[in-house]
Structure formats: C-alpha cells, structure tokens
Amino acid sequence: MILNASEFYSYYRPSPCELRVFLRQNAPEEEMPLGPFEELLKRLGIDHEKEHLQALLTSYEMTDLSEGDMGERVEKTKAAITQGSQFIYHGLFLASTVINGARVEIIGEPDFILRGGSGYIVRDAKLSKRINEKEHPEIFRQMELYGWLFEQVIGTPPERLEIYGGSKELTPIGYDGGRNAFAELGEIIRFRTCGQEPYCPVGWSKCNSCGFFSYCWGQAELRKDLALVFQVDQNLARALHDIGICTIEELLDNFDEARLSCFERPWGAKTQKVGKKAGQIILMAQAMAENQEIVMAKAELPSHDNFVMFDVESVPPQIEDIEKVYLWGLKVYGENPSGYLASPAEVGEDGDRKCWLGFLDSAKSIFENYGSIPFVHWSSYEKTCVKRYIDRYGDGGGIGTRVLDNLLDLLPLVRSSVALPVPSYSLKVVEQYVGFCRSQSEYGGEWSMAKYIEAVETEDEQERESLLDEIIQYNREDLDATWAVLEWYKNRMCEL
C-alpha cells in the first residue's frame, strides 16, 4: 500500500469524514470535480507558494526537484541534503514501515527544504491564516509525517518544521517522531480497507462541498437515515446508530420527547443529554416522516406595509487581507416596492470604504421614504457585517446603527415556529420548499466569491462587467427568495 503525506486532507477536508476515505479507494461512483470556489482556493494556494518561493530566491540558491521521475527525485533529494544544498524546492521523500501489520510505503513532498543553523528546516506554504491544531489538524499531521520521512531518509530529525501561512508569518510545528501522524494513518488504513462502507452521518453544511455529496446524500435518503433530521447532530446520529436506531421511523418508534431528552451522546471528552432540543427533533422527524410541515408555535411579525430585504456578499479573510463585503443588496417589498439597490465594491484600494458608504446612502434613502421599516435578512451574518463596518469606517449620521435597530432575522422565526420536512434551514433549501425558482443554473455564496475574485483579477473591462452582473443577479434573487419565504411565512401564520 502506498500512502501520501496528503492523506490527512482526504479525511479532514472539507470536513472530517471516514466515508470519504473509503470511497476514494472503493467508490461505486466517480467523485465530482472541484467546484469554482475550491478551484479558486487551489489556485490561490499555488500563488501563495510561488510568492514565498520568489522571496526565498533572494536569499538562497535553489535546487529545483519539482519535476522528473519519482525514483530519480527521491535519490536527488537525499543527495542534495547530504551535499549541503541551501534550498531544495519540492524534494521528494520515500520510506517504508509497517502499520496495522501491513507493509506500507509513504511518500512526502514538502514545498521547501532549507538549510538552517544546525540542520534542515522543512517548510510548507498554506493559505490558511489561522494555523492551529484545532482548526487544521491535517496540517499538523502532514508536517509531522514530513519530519518522520526526513529522519528516516537522512538519519537525523529536521532542525524544525514550520508553515508559511496566509498571514505571511511562519508558524512552528512540533515534531513528536511521527506518533500522532501514524496513529491517524492507522485509522485511515482501517477506513480504506474495511469490508463495507463505514457509517458516517450526513450533514447539510458538512457534506455540501464534498465531491461525494450526491452519492452519500442519495444513499441517506434511500435508507431514510435519521441524520437527515434537522437538529440531529453528528454525535447524536452516531450514538443512536450504535444502539440500532438508524432510520427516522426507528427514531419515532423508540423515542418520544421525554426519553430522547435523557439520551446521552458523546460531547467532547464527556457525554451530554439531548435535553431541550429533543422536542424539536421529534417534531422535525415527524415532519420528514409525514412529508408535511408542522406548526410548533405562532410567531408575531412586525406590522408594516413594507419590508426591506437585506443580503450581503463577502469574501473570507483567507482570500482577502480582511473579511470584505463586496456587495450590499437592498430592496423594499410590499405595498410600495422599490427598485433593487446594490452597492458593489469598486476595484481599487478605497473600494471597500466606498462600498460601505454606498450602502449607508441607500439605507438612508429607504428610511427617508419609508420610515422605521424592518430590514429582513436570513441568519445573523448581515448583523455581524454591519457592526464590523461601523467599527472599520464609522457610522456617519447613525444610519448603520439605525439599520441594526431595525434588523429582523427571519431564520430563527421560521426555525422556531415551523418544523419543515427538509434537512436544513438554509435559505437555498427553504426557498425551494416554498416554491421559489431561480433563473441561474449556477449560484451560491461560494460561487459568488469565485466570480468576484475572477472579476477583480481580469483586465478585460467587458468581462469584468459581465461577471459582476452575474453576481448582482444572484444577490437580487437572494432578496427575492427571502421575500418569497417571508410571504409564505406570513400566510402560514395567518392561517392559525
């Protein structure tokens, strides 16, 4: 068996999943190719590595081993280190060992091997800005395995292991002789070679970015897996599965609210009772079993003739230096609707601030024409963004603060009052449930981010305008979708 030092990414990314490890070895269906956002991150990661390479070339003489036959590269890497080369780019290590009683060969290809004060430094470039074991255990295991490979091939451990992260700073990685890495490789081998698919609960946010999403989700729906029930977390699904409760029907047949509330599932190093979530879980399971919504409680909406729908598009800090909103979208719906009010970020150093000021101008105009009108959004992110931008650029005239005072988060209202026969309360799922249809065949927050970066990077003005038009259309339809859900929700509450 041949294992690569990047095996840990197969398990941990985009989310920890032993089934993905199994499927990559035994897949009945092909893994879907990377989406536009994943392709973007891959390209940005390569650019980040190349940028660091150029910086190193000003101080080191490079031995480039990035191309060629594998066996030849392995020999040249060892020879370059033995001869004291200053800097080896994409050297290749190969060593054999026994894991779980099986002989395996392990391959590792660190980005940079640099001569240090008393030995060699093994370094990788990673786009992530927060390099810590909690958020990125795969980085730590990979680097530990590089350390072990170096020691096996050269005979001494590396001087140190380190990461050149997205913040353009170096983060040291401790070397434990490879113990932690080998413990996880043992698990990865077990997942690869088990006779049947290991049970790994599906989850909407967990699985959405995985290339096996369609396969795994389809299988879960066929067997009516209890993990499809909203509020059934991964630990609870596993704990119930361990006692033979695997389907929605089995959950309802064996548990009522009282019994489920006392059920304990793993929670960190301890266990925790399901508690107050049990009632909603049972109702959600009933809704899915009966394929119809169940009203749990009547919620009151503010009485107003008009409502503003509010949605932002942004890029995370691993792509930009700061978390940046590149489009603030507003539109009034109701008895006196407005046109679509978009505040997109201009390309340039001051684009972010101007984008924020454009949003404040639009919000001010709405307040002047409609009074103290609710700003309706889906989930808490819009509130976070307004607060962040008030801190970043100020709040001239107090418009941002007024927006905060008028925010109405529709998600918790719907989630707490209606049990829907859906696996997620994502807007994209709920809008489809209420019958809203989009005009675009491709869309989504990650798709929008990829399009925005593409627009920023192109020098073709016509192409940039076309890409921005696609993003604006997506944002406009996000607002239309939020309004469709709000109208459905108002009508549903009026029926009670």
Side-chain angles (χ1 to χ4, degrees):
M1 184 182 295
I2 298 175
L3 297 174
N4 194 293
S6 61
E7 299 285 347
F8 306 109
Y9 286 80
S10 182
Y11 172 64
Y12 280 108
R13 293 294 167 191
S15 56
C17 180
E18 57 267 40
L19 179 55
R20 181 170 54 249
V21 176
F22 174 87
L23 291 174
R24 282 187 173 158
Q25 189 74 15
N26 310 277
E29 295 182 10
E30 285 190 16
E31 185 173 4
M32 294 296 291
L34 296 176
F37 183 66
E38 288 75 24
E39 287 286 4
L40 169 66
L41 291 179
K42 182 179 178 181
R43 179 173 61 78
L44 292 175
I46 294 171
D47 292 345
H48 178 63
E49 177 190 317
K50 297 295 185 185
E51 174 195 44
H52 191 47
L53 171 62
Q54 293 305 311
L56 291 173
L57 288 175
T58 64
S59 304
Y60 295 88
E61 182 179 339
M62 179 178 69
T63 301
D64 187 351
L65 298 179
S66 59
E67 296 182 358
D69 174 79
M70 185 179 76
E72 187 178 83
R73 289 174 64 203
V74 168
E75 291 303 318
K76 285 185 176 181
T77 301
K78 182 177 180 180
I81 294 172
T82 303
Q83 294 164 11
S85 295
Q86 287 188 343
F87 165 31
I88 302 162
Y89 180 57
H90 276 270
L92 192 64
F93 294 122
L94 174 65
S96 297
T97 190
V98 175
I99 303 177
N100 294 353
R103 172 64 62 176
V104 297
E105 287 191 324
I106 300 175
I107 301 171
E109 185 180 350
D111 296 333
F112 314 106
I113 304 171
L114 305 165
R115 196 167 67 197
S118 58
Y120 276 89
I121 301 161
V122 178
R123 182 185 298 172
D124 247 24
K126 303 295 183 186
L127 195 59
S128 304
K129 292 188 176 181
R130 293 188 293 270
I131 306 297
N132 60 71
E133 188 154 4
K134 181 178 180 181
E135 293 181 90
H136 292 288
E138 72 285 356
I139 293 177
F140 282 70
R141 300 294 87 79
Q142 181 185 39
M143 294 305 295
E144 290 160 1
L145 196 58
Y146 284 160
W148 178 85
L149 283 165
F150 184 99
E151 185 172 9
Q152 294 300 303
V153 172
I154 305 303
T156 59
E159 183 176 314
R160 63 180 180 271
L161 308 170
E162 55 192 25
I163 293 295
Y164 177 70
S167 60
K168 301 184 180 180
E169 296 178 349
L170 294 174
T171 300
I173 305 293
Y175 178 52
D176 63 355
R179 285 188 297 276
N180 287 332
F182 273 95
E184 297 215 6
L185 280 180
E187 289 296 284
I188 288 169
I189 292 172
R190 185 170 65 83
F191 300 150
R192 271 192 179 194
T193 58
C194 57
Q196 59 184 9
E197 293 184 8
Y199 177 68
C200 191
V202 294
W204 191 260
S205 58
K206 168 195 169 186
C207 298
N208 236 314
S209 300
C210 179
F212 292 109
F213 172 82
S214 296
Y215 171 76
C216 295
W217 205 265
Q219 292 297 306
E221 288 180 330
L222 280 175
R223 61 178 181 261
K224 297 182 180 178
D225 195 299
L226 61 85
L228 294 169
V229 178
F230 183 71
Q231 294 281 36
V232 172
D233 58 59
Q234 297 284 296
N235 288 337
L236 178 56
R238 289 179 186 274
L240 288 169
H241 190 272
D242 287 346
I243 63 169
I245 307 299
C246 305
T247 68
I248 295 170
E249 289 80 1
E250 288 169 348
L251 174 65
L252 293 172
D253 287 345
N254 290 275
F255 286 89
D256 56 15
E257 179 180 351
R259 186 181 176 201
L260 185 60
S261 68
C262 296
F263 186 78
E264 294 192 355
R265 80 284 206 203
W267 200 261
K270 301 180 180 180
T271 60
Q272 187 180 84
K273 292 180 179 179
V274 175
K276 295 180 180 179
K277 288 172 57 177
Q280 191 176 32
I281 289 172
I282 294 297
L283 286 173
M284 294 289 179
Q286 289 174 347
M288 294 199 79
E290 298 165 8
N291 195 31
Q292 63 180 15
E293 65 205 44
I294 300 172
V295 175
M296 298 182 287
K298 184 173 181 178
E300 296 295 332
L301 283 168
S303 179
H304 210 284
D305 294 335
N306 301 287
F307 293 84
V308 188
M309 301 300 112
F310 173 31
D311 183 67
V312 304
E313 310 299 334
S314 68
V315 289
Q318 68 260 37
I319 294 178
E320 295 277 354
D321 290 335
I322 56 174
E323 190 159 358
K324 175 182 174 182
V325 174
Y326 56 87
L327 178 61
W328 303 79
L330 297 168
K331 186 179 178 182
V332 178
Y333 297 76
E335 293 185 5
N336 184 23
S338 73
Y340 171 64
L341 301 171
S343 177
E346 300 175 7
V347 176
E349 290 185 8
D350 203 31
D352 188 42
R353 185 183 66 85
K354 289 180 178 178
C355 184
W356 165 245
L357 296 178
F359 164 71
L360 292 181
D361 286 343
S362 296
K364 180 181 179 182
S365 174
I366 289 172
F367 284 130
E368 289 173 347
N369 289 300
Y370 294 92
S372 188
I373 185 173
F375 279 60
V376 181
H377 56 106
W378 192 266
S379 84
S380 60
Y381 187 63
E382 280 68 24
K383 182 176 183 178
T384 300
C385 288
V386 173
K387 287 182 174 180
R388 179 181 294 126
Y389 273 76
I390 288 175
D391 291 340
R392 187 177 295 173
Y393 295 119
D395 184 20
I399 298 299
T401 301
R402 193 172 178 188
V403 169
L404 288 174
D405 292 340
N406 285 269
L407 288 179
L408 174 62
D409 190 348
L410 186 55
L411 169 60
L413 286 178
V414 174
R415 191 170 56 195
S416 64
S417 55
V418 186
L420 298 177
V422 294
S424 166
Y425 277 69
S426 155
L427 178 62
K428 305 302 183 289
V429 175
V430 178
E431 70 186 42
Q432 291 182 23
Y433 175 78
V434 305
F436 180 79
C437 296
R438 292 180 181 254
S439 65
Q440 294 173 306
S441 58
E442 286 189 282
Y443 60 88
E446 292 186 346
W447 169 89
S448 176
M449 280 185 260
K451 290 291 183 181
Y452 172 71
I453 298 300
E454 191 178 345
V456 168
E457 292 181 343
T458 184
E459 295 182 0
D460 186 325
E461 203 60 44
Q462 188 173 356
E463 183 183 3
R464 178 181 293 128
E465 289 300 318
S466 176
L467 290 165
L468 291 175
D469 285 345
E470 288 185 64
I471 295 168
I472 285 171
Q473 179 64 17
Y474 164 66
N475 182 260
R476 187 198 302 267
E477 293 191 359
D478 262 354
L479 301 180
D480 291 343
T482 307
W483 172 244
V485 175
L486 178 60
E487 282 200 299
W488 165 84
Y489 185 70
K490 287 195 297 181
N491 292 335
R492 193 70 182 87
M493 292 300 104
C494 287
E495 294 172 3
L496 300 179

